[in-house]
Amino acid sequence: MSKTALAGATSLALGLGGLLLTACGSDDDDKDAGGSAKLAVAGAYLPQPPTPDIAAGYLSVRNSGDAADRLTSVTTALSDRVTMHTTEGTAMRRVTEFEVPAGGELNLARGGDHLMLEKLSRQPKVGETVTLTLHFAKSPAIEVSVPVKPTSYQPEV
């Protein structure tokens, strides 16, 4: 075989190999590329805070989409600082984001993951609503009207 023919055959083989590698993406790659999160918030409440300067917030974010997203921050006029916390055993640890899995749910609940509204501008009262804006890594922000419940309120499961 001549050097020119050998070079052509090698180039062809490398080109076909590259095409095959490009076509062999995983299902996860396809899901991330073409999928999207479809988020909805439910069960939101804020117990009336027993102290005037800090409150906790709870809610669920459902994702009926085929791609995950992340809750990256929460804002409200009631507080200049809303932090996100996870509970591990009896220890509470601040986190920078929460995963909202594809086809799954993020649950923020008493005794588990939750929001902390710090340095409140005023103490909310039972029967009022507080507006929270949830910010996500990929999806548009969601504004939620959160009812203020009695301090001892426990949602029905």
Side-chain angles (χ1 to χ4, degrees), residues 43 45 153-157:
Y45 72 98
Y153 175 77
Q154 292 290 332
E156 294 181 22
V157 179

Side-chain angles (χ1 to χ4, degrees), residues 9 17 20 30 39 41-42 44 65 73 75 94 110 115 126 135 140:
L20 289 174
D30 293 341
L39 306 177
V41 178
S73 68
T75 55
R94 186 173 171 189
R110 288 183 187 258
L115 304 173
V126 173
H135 303 273

Side-chain angles (χ1 to χ4, degrees), residues 131-134 141-145:
T131 301
L132 298 180
T133 304
L134 309 180
I142 298 175
E143 193 170 275
V144 183
S145 292

Side-chain angles (χ1 to χ4, degrees), residues 25-153:
S26 70
D27 289 340
D28 291 339
D29 292 341
D30 293 341
K31 193 179 285 188
D32 289 342
S36 64
K38 292 184 179 119
L39 306 177
V41 178
Y45 72 98
L46 187 137
Q48 181 177 1
T51 62
D53 60 345
I54 194 164
Y58 308 103
L59 53 85
S60 294
V61 181
R62 294 185 182 122
N63 183 355
S64 61
D66 57 0
D69 205 341
R70 294 180 319 281
L71 177 63
T72 57
S73 68
V74 178
T75 55
T76 179
L78 182 62
S79 169
D80 287 337
R81 181 175 167 174
V82 180
T83 56
M84 299 181 286
H85 295 265
T86 190
T87 304
E88 298 165 346
T90 58
M92 187 172 69
R93 181 176 56 88
R94 186 173 171 189
V95 296
T96 58
E97 61 185 26
F98 285 121
E99 179 80 12
V100 186
E105 190 168 359
L106 165 65
N107 290 306
L108 304 181
R110 288 183 187 258
D113 298 339
H114 59 279
L115 304 173
M116 295 299 299
L117 290 72
E118 302 171 13
K119 299 179 182 176
L120 302 177
S121 59
R122 62 179 180 77
Q123 188 172 18
K125 304 292 182 203
V126 173
E128 294 180 13
T129 59
V130 173
T131 301
L132 298 180
T133 304
L134 309 180
H135 303 273
F136 299 91
K138 299 174 188 171
S139 300
I142 298 175
E143 193 170 275
V144 183
S145 292
V146 180
V148 178
K149 300 290 189 176
T151 303
S152 60
Y153 175 77

